[in-house]
Amino acid sequence: MTRIAILGGGSWGTALAIVLSRSHKAHELSLWMRDPALAHAVNKSRVNEVYLPACSIPAAVAITSDLANALANAHIIVGAMPSAYARTVYSRALPLIEKTAPVFVSATKGLEPSTHLRITEVLSEVSAGKLSSAHGIAVLSGPSFALEAARGDPTAVVVASQSRESAGNANSVDRVADYIQAEFAGPSFRLYTNDDVVGVELAGAMKNVMAIAAGACQGLGLGTNAIAALITRGLAEMARLAFALGARAETLSGLAGLGDLVLTCTGSLSRNRQLGIELGKGRALVEIVASTRMVAEGVGTAGALTALASEYQIELPITAQVNAILHHGKSPREAMEEIMGRPQKRE
């Protein structure tokens, strides 16, 4: 039986534990939580009241704050931690991995704020010289609110990996992505495979910044015309940077790109959109962040994307304005006026 370890006890990690307990294939599941007190409370109640209330976690999911215990004999390791903590968690995890040559699946939607690296790049950097060719790395992304996925609403996502065989499992199929697709698929959880890791990963990070902008539009009371324009031009902006870094066009128009962008910019469960709404209403970022334990990945990613855009000489006007609002004191209304006042151009 395939053993899956999920690292990260936030809303998405908890939801994945629930989702994978319903997969077509039977699994042994462990969910690692960094906070021992939270792990103890969730073990007792079988509900993560802090990050995913009202969703029962099956008894078959082992919940622990002991990383070695969570990783023991794991065939698949799912990273669902915030991007800012990915390096630390993976650095702790690597020495504890058994000789089962596990496949890594990054389910984190963000860039490392300090280095601007994608999370698979962080994992590759941390694991340099420590992993064999049998270890596969994949990315899981797409339009997937944790609450809806956990309660069994139909959800479709993308799993991407480079085209190479996964020798780490006797029952593996041709590619790492195919292997994860077969293991994770369930009655209400559908996965599409892709080999554009760069595109899938960048799209998952960039859409969070656009969601902050969309929320700010709503907070300012600017109407649905503005939201529609923002989503459309936001997708074009995402595509410019993604293409420059080697992504494919169809990835940006698929689930990981357009699908997740629409969801995050319009859905009421989007924490990035909600943060933007509060900014649009005039609340300070520090006050908004202090009021919740949830992480809005767009806050850290905005600066990383702005730096990448400068490095590759790519124009990202929406991202630049969001970064200015978050980190340089610009007001959302001033940012919107500056966007609308840019020179007219051909679409």
Side-chain angles (χ1 to χ4, degrees), residues 324-336:
I325 293 168
L326 292 171
H327 305 299
H328 300 289
K330 180 175 283 189
S331 75
R333 187 165 297 281
E334 181 185 1
M336 181 55 63

Side-chain angles (χ1 to χ4, degrees), residues 2-297:
T2 303
R3 178 166 171 75
I4 302 175
I6 301 169
L7 306 184
S11 57
W12 187 221
T14 303
L16 282 173
I18 297 171
V19 167
L20 296 182
S21 72
R22 299 191 292 252
S23 298
H24 295 312
K25 292 190 175 184
H27 300 122
E28 291 182 11
L29 294 163
S30 63
L31 175 61
W32 174 77
M33 296 182 170
R34 180 180 57 85
D35 184 352
L38 179 61
H40 176 77
V42 175
N43 246 329
K44 185 175 180 180
S45 67
R46 306 307 299 183
V47 175
N48 190 339
E49 294 288 357
V50 175
Y51 294 105
L52 198 65
C55 292
S56 179
I57 302 171
V61 178
I63 300 168
T64 181
S65 60
D66 185 328
L67 189 56
N69 184 47
L71 293 169
N73 301 310
H75 301 98
I76 300 171
I77 298 172
V78 181
M81 72 292 287
S83 58
Y85 305 122
R87 183 178 297 272
T88 298
V89 174
Y90 285 130
S91 295
R92 288 183 56 194
L94 284 168
L96 303 173
I97 294 172
E98 304 288 350
K99 296 180 179 180
T100 51
V103 169
F104 289 87
V105 180
S106 174
T108 301
K109 296 179 181 179
L111 302 179
E112 185 174 45
S114 60
T115 65
H116 320 142
L117 294 175
R118 292 177 286 111
I119 302 307
T120 59
E121 292 178 310
V122 172
L123 177 55
S124 295
E125 191 172 283
V126 168
S127 63
K130 300 177 183 177
L131 297 182
S132 70
S133 60
H135 293 80
I137 298 177
V139 177
L140 184 71
S141 194
S144 48
F145 284 146
L147 175 61
E148 294 185 7
R151 69 189 183 197
D153 293 350
T155 301
V157 296
V158 177
V159 57
S161 73
Q162 293 182 341
S163 297
R164 63 172 178 160
E165 293 185 356
S166 171
N169 188 290
N171 297 316
S172 65
V173 285
D174 290 340
R175 296 187 307 166
V176 173
D178 296 321
Y179 170 48
I180 298 302
Q181 180 186 50
E183 291 290 337
F184 284 17
S188 60
F189 197 64
R190 181 174 177 83
L191 297 94
Y192 291 82
T193 59
N194 193 322
D195 60 7
D196 183 8
V197 173
V198 174
V200 169
E201 205 163 15
L202 277 175
M206 291 187 287
K207 58 90 184 179
N208 286 325
V209 177
M210 298 304 160
I212 293 175
C217 287
Q218 182 171 339
L220 289 168
L222 299 182
T224 52
N225 285 356
I227 302 297
L230 179 85
I231 291 173
T232 307
R233 296 311 303 165
L235 181 62
E237 186 168 309
M238 289 165 57
R240 278 199 298 275
L241 182 61
F243 297 164
L245 272 67
R248 295 199 305 265
E250 56 265 34
T251 302
L252 273 293
S253 63
L255 287 168
L258 179 60
D260 212 0
L261 177 65
V262 171
L263 178 79
T264 315
C265 286
T266 63
S268 60
L269 294 175
S270 169
R271 63 189 68 165
N272 288 282
R273 173 177 171 272
Q274 189 58 48
L275 182 141
I277 290 173
E278 296 303 313
L279 288 170
K281 291 179 178 178
R283 291 183 67 191
L285 176 64
V286 64
E287 178 188 351
I288 301 168
V289 172
S291 66
T292 179
R293 291 183 64 172
M294 300 288 190
V295 175
E297 286 281 10

